Amino acid sequence: MVGGEFDLVVGLFARSGHGPPPGVEHIVAEIPDGPLTPGQIEAVQRLARTVGGAVRDGRRTLVRCHSGYNRSGLVAAQALVESGHEVGAAVALVRERRSPWTPNNGTFVEYFAAGLDVARLLTGLEPTPG
């Protein structure tokens, strides 16, 4: 549960009663822990820019998801990339600070290898089922 220790909370998974309290900026964008659509990848990029800006402004910022590994790791690492870190260094820093298994979702790791701009374009080329 989150109290008032943060200025901004970015939630990629929502659960009733887990805060933050009123007065704390809370952005919720439910992103699946699996293959993303181009729109969802674009949302990750927007959230990463928001997180990066908040951190640069000195705001205490939390990025969270259900388990704290994949979706939150994706946004946190992309925020570092958006702030000028190389992809490998960004992922390594998130793994060092959060968990060695962040992110452990192979699809998200592939997104980083390609770059989110390229991943967004490539996922838009995939045929839709049915």
Coordinates of all heavy atoms in Angstrom, one line a residue, residues 24-96:
V24 N -2.1 13.0 -3.7 CA -0.9 12.5 -4.4 C -1.3 12.2 -5.9 O -2.3 11.6 -6.1 CB -0.4 11.1 -3.8 CG1 0.7 10.5 -4.6 CG2 0.1 11.4 -2.3
E25 N -0.5 12.8 -6.8 CA -0.8 12.6 -8.2 C -0.7 11.1 -8.5 O 0.3 10.4 -8.2 CB 0.1 13.4 -9.1 CG -0.3 13.2 -10.6 CD 0.7 14.0 -11.5 OE1 1.6 14.7 -11.0 OE2 0.4 13.9 -12.7
H26 N -1.8 10.5 -9.1 CA -1.8 9.1 -9.4 C -2.2 8.9 -10.9 O -3.3 9.3 -11.3 CB -2.8 8.4 -8.5 CG -2.8 6.9 -8.5 ND1 -3.9 6.2 -8.2 CD2 -1.8 6.1 -8.9 CE1 -3.6 4.9 -8.3 NE2 -2.4 4.8 -8.7
I27 N -1.3 8.3 -11.6 CA -1.6 8.0 -13.0 C -1.8 6.5 -13.2 O -0.9 5.8 -12.8 CB -0.5 8.5 -14.0 CG1 -0.3 10.0 -13.9 CG2 -0.8 8.1 -15.4 CD1 0.9 10.5 -14.6
V28 N -2.9 6.0 -13.7 CA -3.1 4.6 -13.9 C -3.3 4.3 -15.3 O -4.1 5.0 -16.0 CB -4.4 4.1 -13.1 CG1 -4.6 2.6 -13.4 CG2 -4.3 4.4 -11.6
A29 N -2.5 3.4 -15.8 CA -2.5 3.0 -17.2 C -2.3 1.5 -17.2 O -1.2 1.0 -17.1 CB -1.5 3.7 -18.1
E30 N -3.4 0.7 -17.2 CA -3.3 -0.7 -17.1 C -2.7 -1.3 -18.4 O -3.3 -1.2 -19.4 CB -4.6 -1.3 -16.7 CG -5.1 -0.9 -15.4 CD -6.0 -1.8 -14.7 OE1 -5.9 -3.1 -14.8 OE2 -7.0 -1.3 -14.1
I31 N -1.5 -1.8 -18.2 CA -0.7 -2.4 -19.3 C -0.6 -3.9 -19.0 O -0.3 -4.3 -17.9 CB 0.7 -1.8 -19.4 CG1 0.6 -0.3 -19.5 CG2 1.5 -2.4 -20.4 CD1 0.2 0.2 -20.8
P32 N -0.9 -4.8 -20.0 CA -0.7 -6.2 -19.7 C 0.7 -6.6 -19.6 O 1.6 -6.0 -20.0 CB -1.3 -6.9 -21.0 CG -1.2 -5.9 -22.0 CD -1.3 -4.5 -21.4
D33 N 0.9 -7.7 -18.9 CA 2.3 -8.3 -18.7 C 2.5 -9.3 -19.8 O 2.6 -10.5 -19.5 CB 2.4 -9.0 -17.3 CG 3.8 -9.4 -16.9 OD1 4.7 -9.1 -17.7 OD2 4.0 -10.0 -15.9
G34 N 2.5 -8.8 -21.0 CA 2.6 -9.7 -22.2 C 2.8 -8.8 -23.4 O 3.0 -7.6 -23.3
P35 N 2.6 -9.4 -24.6 CA 2.8 -8.6 -25.8 C 1.9 -7.4 -25.8 O 0.7 -7.5 -25.3 CB 2.3 -9.6 -26.9 CG 2.6 -11.0 -26.3 CD 2.3 -10.8 -24.8
L36 N 2.4 -6.3 -26.2 CA 1.7 -5.0 -26.2 C 1.3 -4.6 -27.6 O 1.9 -4.9 -28.6 CB 2.6 -3.9 -25.6 CG 3.1 -4.2 -24.2 CD1 4.0 -3.0 -23.7 CD2 2.0 -4.4 -23.2
T37 N 0.2 -3.8 -27.7 CA -0.2 -3.3 -28.9 C 0.6 -2.0 -29.2 O 1.3 -1.5 -28.2 CB -1.7 -2.8 -28.9 OG1 -1.9 -1.8 -27.9 CG2 -2.6 -4.0 -28.5
P38 N 0.6 -1.5 -30.4 CA 1.4 -0.2 -30.6 C 0.9 0.9 -29.7 O 1.7 1.6 -29.2 CB 1.0 0.1 -32.1 CG 0.8 -1.3 -32.7 CD 0.1 -2.1 -31.6
G39 N -0.4 1.0 -29.4 CA -0.9 2.0 -28.5 C -0.4 1.8 -27.1 O -0.2 2.8 -26.4
Q40 N -0.3 0.6 -26.7 CA 0.2 0.3 -25.3 C 1.7 0.7 -25.2 O 2.1 1.2 -24.2 CB -0.1 -1.1 -24.9 CG -1.5 -1.4 -24.7 CD -1.9 -2.9 -24.6 OE1 -1.2 -3.7 -25.2 NE2 -3.0 -3.2 -23.9
I41 N 2.4 0.4 -26.3 CA 3.9 0.7 -26.2 C 4.0 2.3 -26.2 O 4.8 2.8 -25.5 CB 4.6 0.1 -27.5 CG1 4.6 -1.4 -27.3 CG2 6.0 0.7 -27.6 CD1 5.2 -2.1 -28.5
E42 N 3.2 2.9 -27.0 CA 3.2 4.4 -27.0 C 2.8 4.9 -25.6 O 3.4 5.9 -25.1 CB 2.2 4.9 -28.0 CG 2.2 6.4 -28.2 CD 1.3 6.9 -29.3 OE1 0.7 6.1 -30.0 OE2 1.3 8.1 -29.4
A43 N 1.9 4.3 -24.9 CA 1.5 4.7 -23.5 C 2.7 4.5 -22.6 O 3.0 5.3 -21.7 CB 0.3 3.9 -23.0
V44 N 3.5 3.4 -22.8 CA 4.7 3.2 -22.0 C 5.7 4.3 -22.2 O 6.3 4.9 -21.3 CB 5.3 1.8 -22.3 CG1 6.8 1.7 -21.8 CG2 4.5 0.7 -21.8
Q45 N 5.8 4.7 -23.5 CA 6.8 5.8 -23.8 C 6.3 7.1 -23.2 O 7.1 7.9 -22.6 CB 6.9 6.0 -25.3 CG 7.6 4.8 -25.9 CD 7.7 4.8 -27.4 OE1 6.6 4.8 -28.1 NE2 8.9 5.0 -28.0
R46 N 5.0 7.4 -23.2 CA 4.4 8.6 -22.6 C 4.7 8.6 -21.1 O 5.1 9.6 -20.5 CB 3.0 8.8 -22.9 CG 2.6 9.5 -24.2 CD 1.2 9.9 -24.2 NE 0.2 8.9 -23.8 CZ -0.3 7.9 -24.6 NH1 0.0 7.8 -25.8 NH2 -1.2 7.1 -24.1
L47 N 4.4 7.5 -20.5 CA 4.6 7.4 -19.0 C 6.0 7.5 -18.7 O 6.4 8.2 -17.7 CB 4.0 6.0 -18.5 CG 2.5 5.8 -18.6 CD1 2.2 4.4 -18.3 CD2 1.8 6.7 -17.6
A48 N 6.9 6.9 -19.5 CA 8.3 7.1 -19.2 C 8.8 8.5 -19.3 O 9.6 9.0 -18.4 CB 9.1 6.2 -20.2
R49 N 8.3 9.3 -20.2 CA 8.6 10.7 -20.3 C 8.1 11.5 -19.1 O 8.8 12.3 -18.5 CB 8.1 11.3 -21.6 CG 8.9 10.9 -22.8 CD 8.5 11.7 -24.1 NE 7.1 11.4 -24.5 CZ 6.8 10.4 -25.3 NH1 7.7 9.5 -25.7 NH2 5.5 10.3 -25.7
T50 N 6.9 11.1 -18.6 CA 6.3 11.7 -17.4 C 7.1 11.4 -16.2 O 7.4 12.3 -15.4 CB 4.8 11.2 -17.2 OG1 4.1 11.6 -18.4 CG2 4.2 11.8 -16.0
V51 N 7.5 10.1 -16.1 CA 8.4 9.7 -14.9 C 9.7 10.4 -15.0 O 10.2 11.0 -14.0 CB 8.5 8.2 -14.9 CG1 9.6 7.8 -14.0 CG2 7.2 7.5 -14.6
G52 N 10.3 10.5 -16.1 CA 11.6 11.1 -16.3 C 11.6 12.6 -15.9 O 12.4 13.1 -15.2
G53 N 10.5 13.3 -16.4 CA 10.3 14.7 -16.0 C 10.1 14.9 -14.6 O 10.6 15.9 -14.0
A54 N 9.3 14.0 -13.9 CA 9.0 14.2 -12.5 C 10.3 14.0 -11.7 O 10.6 14.7 -10.8 CB 8.0 13.1 -12.1
V55 N 11.1 13.0 -12.1 CA 12.4 12.8 -11.4 C 13.3 14.0 -11.6 O 14.0 14.4 -10.6 CB 13.0 11.4 -11.8 CG1 14.5 11.3 -11.3 CG2 12.2 10.3 -11.4
R56 N 13.4 14.5 -12.8 CA 14.3 15.6 -13.0 C 13.8 16.9 -12.2 O 14.6 17.7 -11.8 CB 14.3 16.0 -14.5 CG 15.2 15.2 -15.3 CD 15.4 15.7 -16.7 NE 14.2 15.8 -17.5 CZ 13.5 14.8 -18.1 NH1 14.1 13.5 -18.0 NH2 12.4 14.9 -18.8
D57 N 12.5 16.9 -12.0 CA 11.9 18.0 -11.2 C 12.1 17.8 -9.7 O 11.6 18.6 -8.9 CB 10.5 18.3 -11.5 CG 10.3 18.8 -12.9 OD1 11.2 19.3 -13.5 OD2 9.1 18.7 -13.4
G58 N 12.7 16.7 -9.3 CA 12.9 16.4 -7.9 C 11.7 15.8 -7.2 O 11.6 15.8 -5.9
R59 N 10.7 15.3 -7.9 CA 9.5 14.7 -7.3 C 9.8 13.3 -7.0 O 10.4 12.5 -7.7 CB 8.4 14.8 -8.3 CG 8.0 16.3 -8.6 CD 6.9 16.4 -9.6 NE 5.6 15.9 -9.0 CZ 4.6 15.5 -9.7 NH1 4.6 15.4 -11.0 NH2 3.5 15.2 -9.0
R60 N 9.4 12.9 -5.8 CA 9.5 11.5 -5.3 C 8.5 10.7 -6.1 O 7.3 10.9 -6.0 CB 9.2 11.4 -3.8 CG 10.3 12.1 -3.0 CD 9.8 12.3 -1.6 NE 8.6 13.1 -1.6 CZ 7.7 13.2 -0.6 NH1 7.9 12.5 0.5 NH2 6.6 13.9 -0.7
T61 N 9.0 9.7 -6.9 CA 8.1 9.0 -7.9 C 8.2 7.5 -7.7 O 9.3 7.0 -7.6 CB 8.6 9.4 -9.3 OG1 8.6 10.8 -9.4 CG2 7.7 8.8 -10.4
L62 N 7.1 6.9 -7.8 CA 6.9 5.4 -7.7 C 6.3 4.9 -9.0 O 5.3 5.5 -9.4 CB 6.1 5.0 -6.5 CG 5.7 3.5 -6.4 CD1 7.0 2.7 -6.2 CD2 4.7 3.3 -5.3
V63 N 6.9 3.9 -9.6 CA 6.3 3.2 -10.7 C 6.0 1.8 -10.2 O 7.0 1.1 -9.8 CB 7.2 3.2 -11.9 CG1 6.6 2.5 -13.1 CG2 7.6 4.6 -12.3
R64 N 4.8 1.4 -10.3 CA 4.5 0.1 -9.8 C 3.5 -0.7 -10.7 O 2.8 -0.1 -11.5 CB 3.8 0.2 -8.4 CG 2.5 0.9 -8.4 CD 2.0 1.0 -7.0 NE 0.6 1.6 -7.1 CZ -0.1 1.8 -6.0 NH1 0.3 1.3 -4.8 NH2 -1.3 2.3 -6.1
C65 N 3.6 -2.0 -10.5 CA 2.7 -2.9 -11.2 C 2.3 -4.0 -10.2 O 2.5 -3.8 -9.0 CB 3.3 -3.5 -12.5 SG 4.8 -4.4 -12.3
H66 N 1.8 -5.1 -10.7 CA 1.4 -6.2 -9.7 C 2.5 -6.8 -8.9 O 2.4 -6.9 -7.7 CB 0.6 -7.3 -10.5 CG 0.1 -8.3 -9.6 ND1 0.7 -9.5 -9.3 CD2 -1.1 -8.4 -9.0 CE1 0.0 -10.2 -8.5 NE2 -1.2 -9.6 -8.3
S67 N 3.6 -7.2 -9.6 CA 4.7 -7.8 -8.9 C 6.0 -7.0 -8.8 O 6.9 -7.3 -8.1 CB 5.1 -9.2 -9.6 OG 4.0 -10.1 -9.5
G68 N 6.0 -5.9 -9.6 CA 7.1 -5.0 -9.5 C 8.3 -5.4 -10.4 O 9.4 -4.9 -10.2
Y69 N 8.1 -6.3 -11.3 CA 9.2 -6.8 -12.2 C 9.0 -6.2 -13.6 O 9.9 -5.6 -14.1 CB 9.2 -8.3 -12.3 CG 9.6 -8.9 -11.0 CD1 8.8 -9.8 -10.3 CD2 10.9 -8.7 -10.4 CE1 9.1 -10.4 -9.1 CE2 11.2 -9.3 -9.2 CZ 10.4 -10.1 -8.6 OH 10.7 -10.7 -7.4
N70 N 8.0 -6.6 -14.3 CA 8.0 -6.4 -15.8 C 7.4 -5.1 -16.2 O 8.2 -4.3 -16.8 CB 7.2 -7.5 -16.4 CG 7.9 -8.8 -16.4 OD1 9.1 -8.9 -16.7 ND2 7.3 -9.9 -16.0
R71 N 6.2 -4.8 -16.0 CA 5.6 -3.5 -16.5 C 6.3 -2.3 -15.8 O 6.6 -1.4 -16.5 CB 4.1 -3.5 -16.2 CG 3.4 -4.6 -17.1 CD 2.0 -4.8 -16.6 NE 2.0 -5.7 -15.4 CZ 0.9 -6.2 -14.9 NH1 -0.3 -5.9 -15.3 NH2 1.0 -7.0 -13.8
S72 N 6.4 -2.4 -14.5 CA 7.1 -1.2 -13.9 C 8.5 -1.1 -14.3 O 9.1 0.0 -14.5 CB 7.0 -1.3 -12.3 OG 7.5 -2.5 -11.9
G73 N 9.2 -2.3 -14.5 CA 10.6 -2.3 -14.9 C 10.7 -1.7 -16.3 O 11.7 -1.0 -16.6
L74 N 9.7 -2.0 -17.2 CA 9.7 -1.5 -18.5 C 9.6 0.0 -18.5 O 10.4 0.7 -19.2 CB 8.5 -2.1 -19.3 CG 8.3 -1.7 -20.7 CD1 9.5 -2.2 -21.6 CD2 7.0 -2.2 -21.3
V75 N 8.7 0.6 -17.7 CA 8.5 2.0 -17.7 C 9.7 2.7 -17.0 O 10.2 3.7 -17.5 CB 7.2 2.4 -17.0 CG1 7.1 3.9 -16.7 CG2 6.0 2.0 -17.8
A76 N 10.2 2.1 -15.9 CA 11.4 2.7 -15.2 C 12.6 2.7 -16.1 O 13.3 3.7 -16.2 CB 11.7 2.0 -13.9
A77 N 12.9 1.6 -16.8 CA 14.1 1.6 -17.7 C 13.9 2.5 -18.9 O 14.8 3.2 -19.3 CB 14.3 0.1 -18.1
Q78 N 12.7 2.6 -19.4 CA 12.5 3.5 -20.5 C 12.6 4.9 -20.1 O 13.1 5.7 -20.9 CB 11.1 3.2 -21.2 CG 10.8 4.0 -22.4 CD 11.8 3.7 -23.6 OE1 12.4 2.7 -23.7 NE2 12.0 4.7 -24.4
A79 N 12.2 5.2 -18.9 CA 12.4 6.6 -18.4 C 13.9 6.9 -18.3 O 14.3 8.1 -18.7 CB 11.8 6.7 -17.0
L80 N 14.7 6.0 -18.0 CA 16.2 6.2 -18.0 C 16.7 6.4 -19.4 O 17.5 7.2 -19.7 CB 16.9 5.0 -17.3 CG 16.7 4.9 -15.8 CD1 17.2 3.6 -15.3 CD2 17.4 6.1 -15.1
V81 N 16.1 5.6 -20.4 CA 16.5 5.7 -21.8 C 16.1 7.1 -22.3 O 16.9 7.8 -22.9 CB 15.8 4.6 -22.6 CG1 16.0 4.9 -24.1 CG2 16.4 3.2 -22.3
E82 N 14.9 7.5 -22.0 CA 14.4 8.8 -22.4 C 15.2 10.0 -21.8 O 15.3 11.0 -22.3 CB 12.9 9.0 -22.0 CG 12.0 8.1 -22.6 CD 11.5 8.4 -24.0 OE1 11.7 9.6 -24.4 OE2 11.0 7.5 -24.6
S83 N 15.9 9.7 -20.6 CA 16.8 10.6 -20.0 C 18.2 10.6 -20.4 O 19.1 11.3 -19.9 CB 16.7 10.4 -18.5 OG 15.4 10.7 -18.0
G84 N 18.5 9.7 -21.5 CA 19.8 9.7 -22.0 C 20.7 8.5 -21.8 O 21.8 8.4 -22.3
H85 N 20.2 7.6 -21.0 CA 21.0 6.3 -20.7 C 20.9 5.4 -21.9 O 19.9 5.4 -22.6 CB 20.4 5.6 -19.5 CG 20.7 6.2 -18.2 ND1 20.0 7.4 -17.7 CD2 21.6 5.9 -17.2 CE1 20.5 7.7 -16.6 NE2 21.4 6.8 -16.2
E86 N 22.0 4.7 -22.1 CA 21.9 3.6 -23.1 C 21.0 2.5 -22.6 O 20.8 2.3 -21.4 CB 23.3 3.0 -23.3 CG 24.3 4.0 -23.9 CD 24.0 4.3 -25.4 OE1 23.5 3.4 -26.1 OE2 24.3 5.4 -25.8
V87 N 20.4 1.8 -23.5 CA 19.4 0.8 -23.2 C 20.0 -0.3 -22.2 O 19.4 -0.5 -21.1 CB 18.8 0.1 -24.4 CG1 18.0 -1.1 -24.0 CG2 18.0 1.0 -25.3
G88 N 21.1 -0.8 -22.5 CA 21.7 -1.8 -21.6 C 22.0 -1.3 -20.3 O 21.8 -2.0 -19.2
A89 N 22.5 -0.1 -20.2 CA 22.8 0.6 -18.9 C 21.5 0.8 -18.1 O 21.5 0.7 -16.9 CB 23.6 1.9 -19.1
A90 N 20.5 1.2 -18.8 CA 19.2 1.5 -18.1 C 18.6 0.2 -17.5 O 18.2 0.2 -16.4 CB 18.2 2.1 -19.1
V91 N 18.6 -0.8 -18.3 CA 18.1 -2.1 -17.8 C 19.0 -2.6 -16.6 O 18.5 -3.0 -15.6 CB 18.0 -3.2 -18.9 CG1 17.7 -4.5 -18.4 CG2 17.0 -2.7 -20.0
A92 N 20.3 -2.5 -16.8 CA 21.2 -2.9 -15.7 C 20.9 -2.1 -14.4 O 21.0 -2.7 -13.3 CB 22.6 -2.8 -16.2
L93 N 20.7 -0.8 -14.5 CA 20.5 0.0 -13.4 C 19.2 -0.4 -12.7 O 19.1 -0.5 -11.4 CB 20.5 1.5 -13.7 CG 20.3 2.5 -12.6 CD1 21.4 2.3 -11.6 CD2 20.3 3.9 -13.2
V94 N 18.1 -0.6 -13.5 CA 16.9 -1.0 -12.9 C 17.0 -2.4 -12.2 O 16.5 -2.6 -11.1 CB 15.7 -1.1 -13.9 CG1 14.5 -1.7 -13.4 CG2 15.4 0.4 -14.4
R95 N 17.7 -3.3 -12.8 CA 18.0 -4.6 -12.2 C 18.8 -4.5 -10.9 O 18.5 -5.2 -10.0 CB 18.7 -5.5 -13.2 CG 17.7 -6.0 -14.3 CD 18.4 -6.9 -15.3 NE 17.4 -7.5 -16.2 CZ 17.6 -8.0 -17.3 NH1 18.9 -8.1 -17.8 NH2 16.7 -8.5 -18.1
E96 N 19.8 -3.6 -10.9 CA 20.6 -3.4 -9.7 C 19.8 -2.8 -8.6 O 19.9 -3.2 -7.4 CB 21.7 -2.4 -10.1 CG 22.6 -2.0 -8.9 CD 23.6 -0.9 -9.2 OE1 24.2 -1.0 -10.3 OE2 23.8 0.0 -8.4

